[in-house]
Every structure is written in C-alpha cells, then in structure tokens.
Amino acid sequence: MVFRVSGRIDGMSVEALQQSMEKEKTKRCRLTIDLGEVTLVNQEVVEALGVAGQNELKNCPAYVREWVSRANERHD
C-alpha cells in the first residue's frame, strides 16, 4: 500500500494520516508513505512519521528525514 501525500501537512491533516496508517496496520500490510510532493511539515507530523518508523518513507525531503531521525533518537 502506498500513501501519496502532497502539499502542507499540519495538525489537522496529520490526524487523518495517523488514522489511515492505523487502519492499514491492522491489515498487516507493508505501508509506504510517498512524500515526494510535500512542501511543508510541522513538528507534530515529524513525530507521527517517527512513530510510523516501521513504514517506508519514499521520496522524503532531506530535512524531513533528518527531523524524523532526530525524533526517533529522542524516543529511543
């Protein structure tokens, strides 16, 4: 399953993303999140993507990948 996300991801849209990830998690399928068209994320989104670490991030902007990595280090 591939989720393609575009534009700005903020607090309102992160909730929908989290719900979608949870729904797919119950199906036990491999989830890829394609961030190729994302222009801006906030800290809440970074935290959600970090929690979703078992999912693959595809076309992830370098700054987002770095922030997710840092968020994961704080939680380990």
Side-chain angles (χ1 to χ4, degrees):
M1 172 75 61
V2 176
F3 284 157
R4 182 168 287 133
V5 185
S6 63
R8 294 178 177 207
I9 311 174
D10 58 19
M12 292 181 1
S13 53
V14 74
E15 202 171 301
L17 179 61
Q18 287 173 316
Q19 289 174 353
S20 297
M21 289 187 304
E22 282 300 315
K23 185 183 285 186
E24 294 306 315
K25 186 177 175 182
T26 61
K27 296 178 185 177
R28 299 187 191 277
C29 68
R30 178 87 172 137
L31 179 62
T32 299
I33 303 169
D34 187 338
L35 302 171
E37 296 182 25
V38 168
T39 57
L40 185 66
V41 299
N42 67 14
Q43 185 62 36
E44 189 177 6
V45 174
V46 169
E47 295 289 331
L49 293 173
V51 168
Q54 71 275 10
N55 302 318
E56 178 185 348
L57 300 179
K58 180 179 178 183
N59 300 318
C60 185
Y63 80 95
V64 174
R65 190 170 301 279
E66 177 66 26
W67 290 357
V68 168
S69 179
R70 289 181 188 178
N72 286 338
E73 288 172 5
R74 285 193 304 270
H75 292 288
D76 287 342

